[in-house]
PDB file of all heavy atoms in Angstrom:
ATOM      1  N   ALA A 203     -89.914 -95.761 200.282  1.00 95.00           N
ATOM      2  CA  ALA A 203     -91.202 -96.312 200.333  1.00 95.00           C
ATOM      3  C   ALA A 203     -91.185 -97.485 201.383  1.00 95.00           C
ATOM      4  O   ALA A 203     -92.243 -97.703 202.031  1.00 95.00           O
ATOM      5  CB  ALA A 203     -91.610 -96.727 199.006  1.00 95.00           C
ATOM      6  N   HIS A 204     -90.105 -98.197 201.467  1.00 94.00           N
ATOM      7  CA  HIS A 204     -90.177 -99.319 202.372  1.00 94.00           C
ATOM      8  C   HIS A 204     -89.745 -99.081 203.747  1.00 94.00           C
ATOM      9  O   HIS A 204     -89.847 -99.935 204.697  1.00 94.00           O
ATOM     10  CB  HIS A 204     -89.079-100.478 201.796  1.00 94.00           C
ATOM     11  CG  HIS A 204     -87.685 -99.900 201.967  1.00 94.00           C
ATOM     12  ND1 HIS A 204     -87.172 -98.908 201.112  1.00 94.00           N
ATOM     13  CD2 HIS A 204     -86.669-100.322 202.821  1.00 94.00           C
ATOM     14  CE1 HIS A 204     -85.953 -98.782 201.507  1.00 94.00           C
ATOM     15  NE2 HIS A 204     -85.557 -99.498 202.442  1.00 94.00           N
ATOM     16  N   LEU A 205     -89.398 -97.822 204.093  1.00 95.00           N
ATOM     17  CA  LEU A 205     -89.061 -97.571 205.442  1.00 95.00           C
ATOM     18  C   LEU A 205     -90.043 -97.392 206.395  1.00 95.00           C
ATOM     19  O   LEU A 205     -91.233 -97.036 205.962  1.00 95.00           O
ATOM     20  CB  LEU A 205     -88.203 -96.283 205.400  1.00 95.00           C
ATOM     21  CG  LEU A 205     -86.857 -96.215 204.616  1.00 95.00           C
ATOM     22  CD1 LEU A 205     -86.126 -94.871 204.824  1.00 95.00           C
ATOM     23  CD2 LEU A 205     -85.958 -97.367 205.000  1.00 95.00           C
ATOM     24  N   THR A 206     -89.851 -97.683 207.756  1.00 94.00           N
ATOM     25  CA  THR A 206     -90.867 -97.349 208.676  1.00 94.00           C
ATOM     26  C   THR A 206     -91.082 -95.926 208.903  1.00 94.00           C
ATOM     27  O   THR A 206     -90.172 -95.126 208.887  1.00 94.00           O
ATOM     28  CB  THR A 206     -90.479 -98.070 210.006  1.00 94.00           C
ATOM     29  OG1 THR A 206     -90.345 -99.427 209.901  1.00 94.00           O
ATOM     30  CG2 THR A 206     -91.463 -97.709 211.149  1.00 94.00           C
ATOM     31  N   LYS A 207     -92.425 -95.476 209.023  1.00 95.00           N
ATOM     32  CA  LYS A 207     -92.765 -94.098 209.268  1.00 95.00           C
ATOM     33  C   LYS A 207     -93.109 -93.852 210.735  1.00 95.00           C
ATOM     34  O   LYS A 207     -93.767 -94.740 211.325  1.00 95.00           O
ATOM     35  CB  LYS A 207     -94.089 -93.716 208.345  1.00 95.00           C
ATOM     36  CG  LYS A 207     -93.752 -93.591 206.870  1.00 95.00           C
ATOM     37  CD  LYS A 207     -93.636 -94.779 206.174  1.00 95.00           C
ATOM     38  CE  LYS A 207     -93.421 -94.627 204.582  1.00 95.00           C
ATOM     39  NZ  LYS A 207     -93.194 -95.917 203.954  1.00 95.00           N
ATOM     40  N   LEU A 208     -92.783 -92.742 211.263  1.00 95.00           N
ATOM     41  CA  LEU A 208     -93.045 -92.318 212.496  1.00 95.00           C
ATOM     42  C   LEU A 208     -94.407 -91.609 212.559  1.00 95.00           C
ATOM     43  O   LEU A 208     -94.468 -90.595 211.805  1.00 95.00           O
ATOM     44  CB  LEU A 208     -91.996 -91.564 213.234  1.00 95.00           C
ATOM     45  CG  LEU A 208     -90.631 -92.242 213.304  1.00 95.00           C
ATOM     46  CD1 LEU A 208     -89.552 -91.197 214.004  1.00 95.00           C
ATOM     47  CD2 LEU A 208     -90.666 -93.533 214.177  1.00 95.00           C
ATOM     48  N   PRO A 209     -95.377 -92.079 213.366  1.00 91.00           N
ATOM     49  CA  PRO A 209     -96.733 -91.336 213.311  1.00 91.00           C
ATOM     50  C   PRO A 209     -96.624 -89.950 213.999  1.00 91.00           C
ATOM     51  O   PRO A 209     -95.765 -89.677 214.898  1.00 91.00           O
ATOM     52  CB  PRO A 209     -97.602 -92.259 214.099  1.00 91.00           C
ATOM     53  CG  PRO A 209     -96.712 -93.077 214.951  1.00 91.00           C
ATOM     54  CD  PRO A 209     -95.341 -93.246 214.281  1.00 91.00           C
ATOM     55  N   THR A 210     -97.514 -89.146 213.672  1.00 87.00           N
ATOM     56  CA  THR A 210     -97.684 -87.839 214.345  1.00 87.00           C
ATOM     57  C   THR A 210     -98.420 -87.987 215.676  1.00 87.00           C
ATOM     58  O   THR A 210     -99.156 -88.822 215.913  1.00 87.00           O
ATOM     59  CB  THR A 210     -98.594 -86.955 213.473  1.00 87.00           C
ATOM     60  OG1 THR A 210     -97.979 -86.812 212.149  1.00 87.00           O
ATOM     61  CG2 THR A 210     -98.765 -85.588 214.085  1.00 87.00           C
ATOM     62  N   THR A 211     -97.909 -87.150 216.600  1.00 91.00           N
ATOM     63  CA  THR A 211     -98.456 -87.224 217.995  1.00 91.00           C
ATOM     64  C   THR A 211     -98.661 -85.750 218.515  1.00 91.00           C
ATOM     65  O   THR A 211     -98.069 -84.777 218.029  1.00 91.00           O
ATOM     66  CB  THR A 211     -97.547 -87.897 218.949  1.00 91.00           C
ATOM     67  OG1 THR A 211     -96.351 -87.204 219.204  1.00 91.00           O
ATOM     68  CG2 THR A 211     -97.303 -89.337 218.511  1.00 91.00           C
ATOM     69  N   LEU A 212     -99.533 -85.681 219.503  1.00 92.00           N
ATOM     70  CA  LEU A 212     -99.797 -84.381 220.175  1.00 92.00           C
ATOM     71  C   LEU A 212     -98.535 -83.778 220.753  1.00 92.00           C
ATOM     72  O   LEU A 212     -98.250 -82.610 220.738  1.00 92.00           O
ATOM     73  CB  LEU A 212    -100.868 -84.546 221.220  1.00 92.00           C
ATOM     74  CG  LEU A 212    -102.248 -84.704 220.664  1.00 92.00           C
ATOM     75  CD1 LEU A 212    -103.254 -85.101 221.853  1.00 92.00           C
ATOM     76  CD2 LEU A 212    -102.861 -83.434 220.035  1.00 92.00           C
ATOM     77  N   ALA A 213     -97.769 -84.748 221.380  1.00 94.00           N
ATOM     78  CA  ALA A 213     -96.479 -84.343 221.967  1.00 94.00           C
ATOM     79  C   ALA A 213     -95.521 -83.707 221.011  1.00 94.00           C
ATOM     80  O   ALA A 213     -94.791 -82.730 221.241  1.00 94.00           O
ATOM     81  CB  ALA A 213     -95.873 -85.508 222.754  1.00 94.00           C
ATOM     82  N   ALA A 214     -95.454 -84.315 219.824  1.00 94.00           N
ATOM     83  CA  ALA A 214     -94.540 -83.832 218.788  1.00 94.00           C
ATOM     84  C   ALA A 214     -94.990 -82.359 218.323  1.00 94.00           C
ATOM     85  O   ALA A 214     -94.221 -81.534 218.055  1.00 94.00           O
ATOM     86  CB  ALA A 214     -94.464 -84.730 217.573  1.00 94.00           C
ATOM     87  N   ASP A 215     -96.300 -82.275 218.233  1.00 93.00           N
ATOM     88  CA  ASP A 215     -96.915 -80.940 217.774  1.00 93.00           C
ATOM     89  C   ASP A 215     -96.472 -79.820 218.776  1.00 93.00           C
ATOM     90  O   ASP A 215     -96.086 -78.780 218.423  1.00 93.00           O
ATOM     91  CB  ASP A 215     -98.322 -80.994 217.734  1.00 93.00           C
ATOM     92  CG  ASP A 215     -98.935 -81.911 216.633  1.00 93.00           C
ATOM     93  OD1 ASP A 215     -98.071 -82.194 215.684  1.00 93.00           O
ATOM     94  OD2 ASP A 215    -100.057 -82.060 216.463  1.00 93.00           O
ATOM     95  N   ALA A 216     -96.647 -80.242 220.124  1.00 95.00           N
ATOM     96  CA  ALA A 216     -96.331 -79.294 221.185  1.00 95.00           C
ATOM     97  C   ALA A 216     -94.870 -78.849 221.157  1.00 95.00           C
ATOM     98  O   ALA A 216     -94.555 -77.716 221.256  1.00 95.00           O
ATOM     99  CB  ALA A 216     -96.828 -79.859 222.619  1.00 95.00           C
ATOM    100  N   LEU A 217     -94.012 -79.825 221.003  1.00 96.00           N
ATOM    101  CA  LEU A 217     -92.619 -79.590 220.994  1.00 96.00           C
ATOM    102  C   LEU A 217     -92.235 -78.769 219.759  1.00 96.00           C
ATOM    103  O   LEU A 217     -91.386 -77.845 219.904  1.00 96.00           O
ATOM    104  CB  LEU A 217     -91.791 -80.877 221.049  1.00 96.00           C
ATOM    105  CG  LEU A 217     -90.190 -80.768 221.045  1.00 96.00           C
ATOM    106  CD1 LEU A 217     -89.793 -79.843 222.228  1.00 96.00           C
ATOM    107  CD2 LEU A 217     -89.579 -82.088 221.132  1.00 96.00           C
ATOM    108  N   ALA A 218     -92.745 -79.060 218.610  1.00 96.00           N
ATOM    109  CA  ALA A 218     -92.504 -78.246 217.428  1.00 96.00           C
ATOM    110  C   ALA A 218     -92.907 -76.731 217.537  1.00 96.00           C
ATOM    111  O   ALA A 218     -92.200 -75.860 217.201  1.00 96.00           O
ATOM    112  CB  ALA A 218     -93.204 -78.875 216.228  1.00 96.00           C
ATOM    113  N   GLN A 219     -94.035 -76.585 218.245  1.00 95.00           N
ATOM    114  CA  GLN A 219     -94.410 -75.215 218.521  1.00 95.00           C
ATOM    115  C   GLN A 219     -93.512 -74.463 219.433  1.00 95.00           C
ATOM    116  O   GLN A 219     -93.219 -73.313 219.348  1.00 95.00           O
ATOM    117  CB  GLN A 219     -95.900 -75.189 219.018  1.00 95.00           C
ATOM    118  CG  GLN A 219     -96.914 -75.680 217.938  1.00 95.00           C
ATOM    119  CD  GLN A 219     -98.273 -75.472 218.401  1.00 95.00           C
ATOM    120  OE1 GLN A 219     -98.826 -74.366 218.482  1.00 95.00           O
ATOM    121  NE2 GLN A 219     -98.987 -76.565 218.649  1.00 95.00           N
ATOM    122  N   GLN A 220     -93.007 -75.188 220.428  1.00 96.00           N
ATOM    123  CA  GLN A 220     -92.061 -74.639 221.332  1.00 96.00           C
ATOM    124  C   GLN A 220     -90.690 -74.383 220.648  1.00 96.00           C
ATOM    125  O   GLN A 220     -90.200 -73.248 220.958  1.00 96.00           O
ATOM    126  CB  GLN A 220     -91.741 -75.689 222.544  1.00 96.00           C
ATOM    127  CG  GLN A 220     -92.897 -75.848 223.452  1.00 96.00           C
ATOM    128  CD  GLN A 220     -92.682 -76.924 224.430  1.00 96.00           C
ATOM    129  OE1 GLN A 220     -91.613 -76.941 225.157  1.00 96.00           O
ATOM    130  NE2 GLN A 220     -93.627 -77.887 224.630  1.00 96.00           N
ATOM    131  N   LEU A 221     -90.333 -75.091 219.702  1.00 96.00           N
ATOM    132  CA  LEU A 221     -89.045 -74.851 219.043  1.00 96.00           C
ATOM    133  C   LEU A 221     -89.261 -73.521 218.208  1.00 96.00           C
ATOM    134  O   LEU A 221     -88.278 -72.714 218.135  1.00 96.00           O
ATOM    135  CB  LEU A 221     -88.719 -75.985 218.166  1.00 96.00           C
ATOM    136  CG  LEU A 221     -88.140 -77.300 218.849  1.00 96.00           C
ATOM    137  CD1 LEU A 221     -88.272 -78.379 217.885  1.00 96.00           C
ATOM    138  CD2 LEU A 221     -86.743 -76.999 219.303  1.00 96.00           C
ATOM    139  N   LEU A 222     -90.384 -73.303 217.636  1.00 95.00           N
ATOM    140  CA  LEU A 222     -90.576 -72.170 216.793  1.00 95.00           C
ATOM    141  C   LEU A 222     -90.830 -70.975 217.677  1.00 95.00           C
ATOM    142  O   LEU A 222     -90.384 -69.910 217.295  1.00 95.00           O
ATOM    143  CB  LEU A 222     -91.950 -72.433 215.896  1.00 95.00           C
ATOM    144  CG  LEU A 222     -91.763 -73.470 214.809  1.00 95.00           C
ATOM    145  CD1 LEU A 222     -93.236 -73.832 214.213  1.00 95.00           C
ATOM    146  CD2 LEU A 222     -90.840 -73.065 213.750  1.00 95.00           C
ATOM    147  N   SER A 223     -91.511 -71.046 218.685  1.00 95.00           N
ATOM    148  CA  SER A 223     -91.744 -70.004 219.735  1.00 95.00           C
ATOM    149  C   SER A 223     -90.458 -69.454 220.275  1.00 95.00           C
ATOM    150  O   SER A 223     -90.343 -68.278 220.428  1.00 95.00           O
ATOM    151  CB  SER A 223     -92.735 -70.383 220.824  1.00 95.00           C
ATOM    152  OG  SER A 223     -94.030 -70.690 220.338  1.00 95.00           O
ATOM    153  N   ALA A 224     -89.581 -70.368 220.580  1.00 95.00           N
ATOM    154  CA  ALA A 224     -88.307 -69.959 221.114  1.00 95.00           C
ATOM    155  C   ALA A 224     -87.182 -69.584 220.070  1.00 95.00           C
ATOM    156  O   ALA A 224     -86.077 -69.174 220.303  1.00 95.00           O
ATOM    157  CB  ALA A 224     -87.719 -71.206 221.806  1.00 95.00           C
ATOM    158  N   ARG A 225     -87.615 -69.623 218.753  1.00 94.00           N
ATOM    159  CA  ARG A 225     -86.868 -69.234 217.674  1.00 94.00           C
ATOM    160  C   ARG A 225     -85.587 -70.083 217.479  1.00 94.00           C
ATOM    161  O   ARG A 225     -84.592 -69.716 216.997  1.00 94.00           O
ATOM    162  CB  ARG A 225     -86.448 -67.768 217.701  1.00 94.00           C
ATOM    163  CG  ARG A 225     -87.617 -66.826 217.662  1.00 94.00           C
ATOM    164  CD  ARG A 225     -87.315 -65.361 217.648  1.00 94.00           C
ATOM    165  NE  ARG A 225     -88.418 -64.493 217.531  1.00 94.00           N
ATOM    166  CZ  ARG A 225     -88.339 -63.197 217.461  1.00 94.00           C
ATOM    167  NH1 ARG A 225     -87.183 -62.554 217.596  1.00 94.00           N
ATOM    168  NH2 ARG A 225     -89.480 -62.319 217.450  1.00 94.00           N
ATOM    169  N   ALA A 226     -85.665 -71.394 218.047  1.00 94.00           N
ATOM    170  CA  ALA A 226     -84.573 -72.303 217.851  1.00 94.00           C
ATOM    171  C   ALA A 226     -84.618 -72.765 216.483  1.00 94.00           C
ATOM    172  O   ALA A 226     -83.620 -73.114 215.871  1.00 94.00           O
ATOM    173  CB  ALA A 226     -84.789 -73.481 218.698  1.00 94.00           C
ATOM    174  N   VAL A 227     -85.777 -72.674 215.802  1.00 93.00           N
ATOM    175  CA  VAL A 227     -85.921 -72.896 214.407  1.00 93.00           C
ATOM    176  C   VAL A 227     -86.792 -71.829 213.852  1.00 93.00           C
ATOM    177  O   VAL A 227     -87.749 -71.396 214.295  1.00 93.00           O
ATOM    178  CB  VAL A 227     -86.644 -74.266 214.057  1.00 93.00           C
ATOM    179  CG1 VAL A 227     -86.913 -74.551 212.526  1.00 93.00           C
ATOM    180  CG2 VAL A 227     -85.909 -75.463 214.795  1.00 93.00           C
ATOM    181  N   PRO A 228     -86.322 -71.183 212.617  1.00 90.00           N
ATOM    182  CA  PRO A 228     -87.096 -70.041 212.076  1.00 90.00           C
ATOM    183  C   PRO A 228     -88.474 -70.433 211.552  1.00 90.00           C
ATOM    184  O   PRO A 228     -88.594 -71.608 211.069  1.00 90.00           O
ATOM    185  CB  PRO A 228     -86.234 -69.596 211.014  1.00 90.00           C
ATOM    186  CG  PRO A 228     -85.327 -70.685 210.624  1.00 90.00           C
ATOM    187  CD  PRO A 228     -85.040 -71.477 211.894  1.00 90.00           C
ATOM    188  N   LYS A 229     -89.437 -69.684 211.596  1.00 89.00           N
ATOM    189  CA  LYS A 229     -90.707 -70.022 211.162  1.00 89.00           C
ATOM    190  C   LYS A 229     -90.771 -70.302 209.586  1.00 89.00           C
ATOM    191  O   LYS A 229     -91.604 -71.043 209.205  1.00 89.00           O
ATOM    192  CB  LYS A 229     -91.722 -68.879 211.441  1.00 89.00           C
ATOM    193  CG  LYS A 229     -92.022 -68.682 212.888  1.00 89.00           C
ATOM    194  CD  LYS A 229     -93.067 -67.669 213.216  1.00 89.00           C
ATOM    195  CE  LYS A 229     -93.434 -67.595 214.758  1.00 89.00           C
ATOM    196  NZ  LYS A 229     -94.358 -66.544 215.015  1.00 89.00           N
ATOM    197  N   SER A 230     -89.814 -69.753 208.875  1.00 88.00           N
ATOM    198  CA  SER A 230     -89.739 -70.035 207.465  1.00 88.00           C
ATOM    199  C   SER A 230     -89.409 -71.450 207.215  1.00 88.00           C
ATOM    200  O   SER A 230     -89.480 -72.001 206.081  1.00 88.00           O
ATOM    201  CB  SER A 230     -88.848 -69.090 206.793  1.00 88.00           C
ATOM    202  OG  SER A 230     -87.531 -69.301 207.362  1.00 88.00           O
ATOM    203  N   ALA A 231     -88.845 -72.123 208.204  1.00 89.00           N
ATOM    204  CA  ALA A 231     -88.482 -73.553 208.137  1.00 89.00           C
ATOM    205  C   ALA A 231     -89.223 -74.374 209.174  1.00 89.00           C
ATOM    206  O   ALA A 231     -88.603 -75.262 209.880  1.00 89.00           O
ATOM    207  CB  ALA A 231     -86.974 -73.686 208.330  1.00 89.00           C
ATOM    208  N   ALA A 232     -90.528 -74.176 209.325  1.00 91.00           N
ATOM    209  CA  ALA A 232     -91.280 -74.864 210.316  1.00 91.00           C
ATOM    210  C   ALA A 232     -91.180 -76.381 210.149  1.00 91.00           C
ATOM    211  O   ALA A 232     -91.264 -77.086 211.191  1.00 91.00           O
ATOM    212  CB  ALA A 232     -92.718 -74.397 210.225  1.00 91.00           C
ATOM    213  N   ALA A 233     -91.083 -76.855 208.917  1.00 93.00           N
ATOM    214  CA  ALA A 233     -91.033 -78.278 208.739  1.00 93.00           C
ATOM    215  C   ALA A 233     -89.829 -78.860 209.452  1.00 93.00           C
ATOM    216  O   ALA A 233     -89.829 -80.024 209.981  1.00 93.00           O
ATOM    217  CB  ALA A 233     -90.928 -78.661 207.236  1.00 93.00           C
ATOM    218  N   ASP A 234     -88.675 -78.099 209.622  1.00 94.00           N
ATOM    219  CA  ASP A 234     -87.476 -78.618 210.385  1.00 94.00           C
ATOM    220  C   ASP A 234     -87.879 -78.748 211.809  1.00 94.00           C
ATOM    221  O   ASP A 234     -87.366 -79.705 212.487  1.00 94.00           O
ATOM    222  CB  ASP A 234     -86.372 -77.655 210.168  1.00 94.00           C
ATOM    223  CG  ASP A 234     -85.764 -77.693 208.720  1.00 94.00           C
ATOM    224  OD1 ASP A 234     -85.825 -78.793 208.156  1.00 94.00           O
ATOM    225  OD2 ASP A 234     -85.216 -76.659 208.326  1.00 94.00           O
ATOM    226  N   ALA A 235     -88.640 -78.011 212.366  1.00 95.00           N
ATOM    227  CA  ALA A 235     -89.182 -78.067 213.756  1.00 95.00           C
ATOM    228  C   ALA A 235     -89.854 -79.343 213.934  1.00 95.00           C
ATOM    229  O   ALA A 235     -89.790 -79.983 214.916  1.00 95.00           O
ATOM    230  CB  ALA A 235     -89.888 -76.873 214.229  1.00 95.00           C
ATOM    231  N   GLU A 236     -90.669 -79.678 212.930  1.00 95.00           N
ATOM    232  CA  GLU A 236     -91.448 -80.918 212.952  1.00 95.00           C
ATOM    233  C   GLU A 236     -90.572 -82.133 212.898  1.00 95.00           C
ATOM    234  O   GLU A 236     -90.760 -83.091 213.618  1.00 95.00           O
ATOM    235  CB  GLU A 236     -92.518 -80.907 211.778  1.00 95.00           C
ATOM    236  CG  GLU A 236     -93.582 -79.865 211.871  1.00 95.00           C
ATOM    237  CD  GLU A 236     -94.456 -79.725 210.585  1.00 95.00           C
ATOM    238  OE1 GLU A 236     -94.250 -80.607 209.670  1.00 95.00           O
ATOM    239  OE2 GLU A 236     -95.275 -78.930 210.580  1.00 95.00           O
ATOM    240  N   HIS A 237     -89.619 -82.081 212.030  1.00 96.00           N
ATOM    241  CA  HIS A 237     -88.558 -83.199 211.956  1.00 96.00           C
ATOM    242  C   HIS A 237     -88.020 -83.383 213.359  1.00 96.00           C
ATOM    243  O   HIS A 237     -87.895 -84.586 213.864  1.00 96.00           O
ATOM    244  CB  HIS A 237     -87.456 -82.893 210.877  1.00 96.00           C
ATOM    245  CG  HIS A 237     -87.929 -82.804 209.532  1.00 96.00           C
ATOM    246  ND1 HIS A 237     -88.828 -83.695 208.974  1.00 96.00           N
ATOM    247  CD2 HIS A 237     -87.659 -81.912 208.550  1.00 96.00           C
ATOM    248  CE1 HIS A 237     -89.069 -83.394 207.698  1.00 96.00           C
ATOM    249  NE2 HIS A 237     -88.395 -82.252 207.435  1.00 96.00           N
ATOM    250  N   ILE A 238     -87.450 -82.337 213.931  1.00 97.00           N
ATOM    251  CA  ILE A 238     -86.864 -82.518 215.205  1.00 97.00           C
ATOM    252  C   ILE A 238     -87.761 -83.027 216.332  1.00 97.00           C
ATOM    253  O   ILE A 238     -87.443 -83.932 217.058  1.00 97.00           O
ATOM    254  CB  ILE A 238     -86.290 -81.111 215.716  1.00 97.00           C
ATOM    255  CG1 ILE A 238     -85.170 -80.627 214.720  1.00 97.00           C
ATOM    256  CG2 ILE A 238     -85.667 -81.172 217.143  1.00 97.00           C
ATOM    257  CD1 ILE A 238     -84.776 -79.150 214.864  1.00 97.00           C
ATOM    258  N   ALA A 239     -89.013 -82.428 216.350  1.00 96.00           N
ATOM    259  CA  ALA A 239     -89.919 -82.828 217.354  1.00 96.00           C
ATOM    260  C   ALA A 239     -90.325 -84.272 217.188  1.00 96.00           C
ATOM    261  O   ALA A 239     -90.408 -85.007 218.244  1.00 96.00           O
ATOM    262  CB  ALA A 239     -91.191 -81.907 217.268  1.00 96.00           C
ATOM    263  N   ILE A 240     -90.640 -84.724 216.036  1.00 96.00           N
ATOM    264  CA  ILE A 240     -91.074 -86.066 215.845  1.00 96.00           C
ATOM    265  C   ILE A 240     -89.939 -87.055 216.209  1.00 96.00           C
ATOM    266  O   ILE A 240     -90.207 -88.033 216.942  1.00 96.00           O
ATOM    267  CB  ILE A 240     -91.469 -86.368 214.332  1.00 96.00           C
ATOM    268  CG1 ILE A 240     -92.772 -85.514 214.047  1.00 96.00           C
ATOM    269  CG2 ILE A 240     -91.756 -87.844 214.020  1.00 96.00           C
ATOM    270  CD1 ILE A 240     -93.098 -85.453 212.510  1.00 96.00           C
ATOM    271  N   ALA A 241     -88.704 -86.787 215.775  1.00 97.00           N
ATOM    272  CA  ALA A 241     -87.708 -87.695 216.084  1.00 97.00           C
ATOM    273  C   ALA A 241     -87.350 -87.694 217.612  1.00 97.00           C
ATOM    274  O   ALA A 241     -87.116 -88.723 218.194  1.00 97.00           O
ATOM    275  CB  ALA A 241     -86.360 -87.251 215.361  1.00 97.00           C
ATOM    276  N   THR A 242     -87.533 -86.528 218.241  1.00 97.00           N
ATOM    277  CA  THR A 242     -87.178 -86.468 219.681  1.00 97.00           C
ATOM    278  C   THR A 242     -88.264 -87.195 220.470  1.00 97.00           C
ATOM    279  O   THR A 242     -87.911 -87.980 221.367  1.00 97.00           O
ATOM    280  CB  THR A 242     -87.199 -84.999 220.053  1.00 97.00           C
ATOM    281  OG1 THR A 242     -86.205 -84.288 219.422  1.00 97.00           O
ATOM    282  CG2 THR A 242     -87.035 -84.857 221.645  1.00 97.00           C
ATOM    283  N   VAL A 243     -89.573 -86.991 220.218  1.00 95.00           N
ATOM    284  CA  VAL A 243     -90.651 -87.552 221.133  1.00 95.00           C
ATOM    285  C   VAL A 243     -90.693 -88.977 220.858  1.00 95.00           C
ATOM    286  O   VAL A 243     -91.064 -89.773 221.811  1.00 95.00           O
ATOM    287  CB  VAL A 243     -91.899 -86.937 220.905  1.00 95.00           C
ATOM    288  CG1 VAL A 243     -91.967 -85.488 221.221  1.00 95.00           C
ATOM    289  CG2 VAL A 243     -92.565 -87.308 219.563  1.00 95.00           C
ATOM    290  N   HIS A 244     -90.236 -89.558 219.754  1.00 95.00           N
ATOM    291  CA  HIS A 244     -90.148 -91.005 219.435  1.00 95.00           C
ATOM    292  C   HIS A 244     -88.904 -91.605 219.969  1.00 95.00           C
ATOM    293  O   HIS A 244     -88.724 -92.772 219.824  1.00 95.00           O
ATOM    294  CB  HIS A 244     -90.461 -91.324 218.059  1.00 95.00           C
ATOM    295  CG  HIS A 244     -91.809 -91.155 217.622  1.00 95.00           C
ATOM    296  ND1 HIS A 244     -92.741 -92.262 217.837  1.00 95.00           N
ATOM    297  CD2 HIS A 244     -92.503 -90.244 217.034  1.00 95.00           C
ATOM    298  CE1 HIS A 244     -93.952 -91.962 217.342  1.00 95.00           C
ATOM    299  NE2 HIS A 244     -93.881 -90.701 216.843  1.00 95.00           N
ATOM    300  N   GLY A 245     -88.009 -90.906 220.586  1.00 95.00           N
ATOM    301  CA  GLY A 245     -86.789 -91.426 221.022  1.00 95.00           C
ATOM    302  C   GLY A 245     -85.797 -91.886 220.032  1.00 95.00           C
ATOM    303  O   GLY A 245     -85.015 -92.759 220.323  1.00 95.00           O
ATOM    304  N   VAL A 246     -85.901 -91.368 218.850  1.00 96.00           N
ATOM    305  CA  VAL A 246     -84.923 -91.619 217.781  1.00 96.00           C
ATOM    306  C   VAL A 246     -83.464 -91.194 218.190  1.00 96.00           C
ATOM    307  O   VAL A 246     -83.322 -90.156 218.871  1.00 96.00           O
ATOM    308  CB  VAL A 246     -85.275 -90.945 216.489  1.00 96.00           C
ATOM    309  CG1 VAL A 246     -84.204 -91.152 215.434  1.00 96.00           C
ATOM    310  CG2 VAL A 246     -86.599 -91.506 215.976  1.00 96.00           C
ATOM    311  N   ASP A 247     -82.611 -91.948 217.825  1.00 95.00           N
ATOM    312  CA  ASP A 247     -81.138 -91.743 218.218  1.00 95.00           C
ATOM    313  C   ASP A 247     -80.481 -90.573 217.452  1.00 95.00           C
ATOM    314  O   ASP A 247     -79.852 -89.757 218.068  1.00 95.00           O
ATOM    315  CB  ASP A 247     -80.290 -93.018 218.122  1.00 95.00           C
ATOM    316  CG  ASP A 247     -80.915 -94.093 218.990  1.00 95.00           C
ATOM    317  OD1 ASP A 247     -80.669 -94.154 220.175  1.00 95.00           O
ATOM    318  OD2 ASP A 247     -81.582 -95.013 218.374  1.00 95.00           O
ATOM    319  N   TYR A 248     -80.714 -90.643 216.073  1.00 96.00           N
ATOM    320  CA  TYR A 248     -79.898 -89.598 215.330  1.00 96.00           C
ATOM    321  C   TYR A 248     -80.866 -89.029 214.265  1.00 96.00           C
ATOM    322  O   TYR A 248     -81.684 -89.683 213.750  1.00 96.00           O
ATOM    323  CB  TYR A 248     -78.759 -90.243 214.643  1.00 96.00           C
ATOM    324  CG  TYR A 248     -77.868 -90.897 215.688  1.00 96.00           C
ATOM    325  CD1 TYR A 248     -77.771 -92.252 215.810  1.00 96.00           C
ATOM    326  CD2 TYR A 248     -76.959 -90.158 216.428  1.00 96.00           C
ATOM    327  CE1 TYR A 248     -77.022 -92.947 216.716  1.00 96.00           C
ATOM    328  CE2 TYR A 248     -76.104 -90.791 217.400  1.00 96.00           C
ATOM    329  CZ  TYR A 248     -76.132 -92.135 217.539  1.00 96.00           C
ATOM    330  OH  TYR A 248     -75.330 -92.852 218.456  1.00 96.00           O
ATOM    331  N   LEU A 249     -80.699 -87.748 213.958  1.00 96.00           N
ATOM    332  CA  LEU A 249     -81.314 -87.126 212.798  1.00 96.00           C
ATOM    333  C   LEU A 249     -80.203 -86.708 211.901  1.00 96.00           C
ATOM    334  O   LEU A 249     -79.380 -85.869 212.321  1.00 96.00           O
ATOM    335  CB  LEU A 249     -82.186 -85.914 213.266  1.00 96.00           C
ATOM    336  CG  LEU A 249     -83.055 -85.242 212.262  1.00 96.00           C
ATOM    337  CD1 LEU A 249     -84.127 -84.388 212.962  1.00 96.00           C
ATOM    338  CD2 LEU A 249     -82.322 -84.390 211.271  1.00 96.00           C
ATOM    339  N   VAL A 250     -80.137 -87.321 210.670  1.00 96.00           N
ATOM    340  CA  VAL A 250     -78.993 -86.904 209.812  1.00 96.00           C
ATOM    341  C   VAL A 250     -79.519 -85.906 208.785  1.00 96.00           C
ATOM    342  O   VAL A 250     -80.617 -86.034 208.241  1.00 96.00           O
ATOM    343  CB  VAL A 250     -78.494 -88.159 209.086  1.00 96.00           C
ATOM    344  CG1 VAL A 250     -77.726 -89.029 210.120  1.00 96.00           C
ATOM    345  CG2 VAL A 250     -79.443 -88.978 208.380  1.00 96.00           C
TER     346      VAL A 250
END
């Protein structure tokens, strides 16, 4: 609850869709594409 949240952006949406379209992440785990995309466009260093 106390952690900083990363906001949603159009760029993250676009990257998530690209990850799904390229089948880098299966559609059954679309939320994982969102995790990767949000962390990536915000320049986060690591996703654990």
Side-chain angles (χ1 to χ4, degrees):
H204 67 289
L205 298 184
T206 296
K207 286 79 176 174
L208 300 180
T210 301
T211 65
L212 289 167
D215 290 352
L217 182 57
Q219 292 187 71
Q220 290 174 49
L221 288 164
L222 293 170
S223 296
R225 298 183 180 179
V227 179
K229 290 186 178 180
S230 61
D234 288 329
E236 294 173 1
H237 295 314
I238 297 165
I240 293 169
T242 299
V243 302
H244 280 281
V246 171
D247 301 280
Y248 307 101
L249 189 163
V250 292

